[in-house]
Amino acid sequence: MKILIIEDHKELAANTIDYLKKEDYICEVASTTKEALEKIELFEYDCILLDLMLPDGNGLEILRHIKNDIPKASVIIVSAKNSLDTKLTGLDDGADDYITKPFSLPELHSRIKAVLRRKTPETNRLLTFNEITVDLESKECKINGQLINFTKKELHLLIYFINNQNRMLSKQAIASHLWGDYTYSIDNIDFVYQHLKNLRKKIIDAGGQDYLHTVYGLGYKWIDQ
């Protein structure tokens, strides 16, 4: 799951990232309205944690932008504003939940899980592609009925490919999805190859088909043969 944290308080943002990464989330942060809107335009997020008080604007403006352009996006307002009017405005404008600062990180995590459960009906928690089945709730994967021991990164990579089947995905796009957009500042992202190699090998060893195809000079495609 990929989370965008829109928060200008650096310590709070850092603590939130540290906690959520331990819970197997991919986290990115934006500290201004401008930066938040740029990230929302470029990347997809499973949940957005939105502070209302930003140095260059009101978080409600970002919320309205999100709901106009990507209405299915999950948004939790995280704010020091505790007035009923502010809460009602945020919820009426489309926020899925509202949590007031200060808060405990376990509570925030529970709110995130609850929002994602509401957006993911029980019938949609199984991601199936031919002989491959991924339980998105338990993070378990079976191939031909056999439980496969994927690492967290390998499982994220598998889900990413299945959800983007027949689309060419660049090595940079894969790196950004798995490790965050800070990878754009890294000169060498060849570490992606090892994860791709391991994913392909585990699928084939379990009797699965090799759906991963290299598009030379461009990237990779997940294709049903």
Side-chain angles (χ1 to χ4, degrees):
M1 295 292 182
K2 196 169 185 178
I3 306 288
L4 176 61
I5 301 164
I6 304 174
E7 172 62 63
D8 66 324
H9 191 290
K10 292 183 179 180
E11 184 177 356
L12 176 58
N15 290 340
T16 303
I17 289 171
D18 287 344
Y19 184 90
L20 292 179
K21 279 187 174 180
K22 292 175 184 176
E23 298 294 336
D24 199 23
Y25 293 92
I26 299 167
C27 299
E28 295 179 8
V29 65
S31 58
T32 65
T33 298
K34 181 176 182 293
E35 187 180 3
L37 292 175
E38 288 174 352
K39 287 182 179 291
I40 291 165
E41 290 293 332
L42 290 172
F43 305 103
E44 293 184 3
Y45 299 95
D46 296 290
C47 188
I48 298 170
L49 306 181
L50 175 61
D51 185 17
L52 294 184
M53 301 177 67
L54 297 168
D56 61 340
N58 188 322
L60 290 175
E61 298 170 4
I62 299 175
L63 175 61
R64 291 164 189 147
H65 174 85
I66 292 169
K67 291 306 174 180
N68 282 333
D69 289 7
I70 40 175
K72 292 183 179 180
S74 297
V75 180
I76 299 176
I77 292 176
V78 181
S79 177
K81 293 185 176 182
N82 194 26
S83 73
L84 179 60
D85 287 345
T86 304
K87 288 183 179 180
L88 291 177
T89 299
L91 294 171
D92 287 345
D93 283 350
D96 297 276
D97 201 353
Y98 192 115
I99 186 169
T100 304
K101 299 177 184 178
F103 54 85
S104 72
L105 290 171
E107 180 188 1
L108 176 64
H109 185 212
S110 293
R111 301 282 191 103
I112 293 171
K113 290 190 293 184
V115 165
L116 293 176
R117 278 198 301 269
R118 292 200 297 269
K119 290 293 183 76
T120 308
E122 190 70 35
T123 55
N124 292 335
R125 290 183 189 170
L126 291 180
L127 179 65
T128 302
F129 185 89
N130 295 345
E131 72 276 17
I132 302 171
T133 301
V134 181
D135 188 321
L136 300 175
E137 182 74 17
S138 66
K139 301 296 191 299
E140 291 183 342
C141 177
K142 292 183 179 180
I143 298 177
N144 293 318
Q146 176 187 352
L147 186 64
I148 307 302
N149 185 27
F150 286 117
T151 67
K152 292 178 182 179
K153 294 298 184 188
E154 290 164 1
L155 187 60
H156 283 313
L157 188 56
L158 175 61
I159 294 170
Y160 185 49
F161 273 119
I162 292 176
N163 283 334
N164 290 277
Q165 56 188 281
N166 300 318
R167 291 180 58 188
M168 200 288 294
L169 301 174
S170 69
K171 185 172 66 172
Q172 179 61 68
I174 294 169
S176 176
H177 179 77
L178 292 181
W179 286 274
D181 60 3
Y182 81 91
T183 55
Y184 280 97
S185 63
I186 298 176
D187 293 332
N188 190 326
I189 53 173
D190 288 345
F191 52 83
V192 169
Y193 291 131
Q194 190 61 47
H195 291 279
L196 292 167
K197 178 182 176 182
N198 293 342
L199 175 65
R200 174 184 272 137
K201 183 178 186 304
K202 288 183 180 181
I203 292 173
I204 294 173
D205 287 351
Q209 297 296 312
D210 185 8
Y211 300 107
L212 188 58
H213 295 259
T214 301
V215 183
Y216 290 100
L218 295 175
Y220 303 89
K221 275 188 178 182
W222 184 271
I223 302 175
D224 189 1
Q225 300 185 70

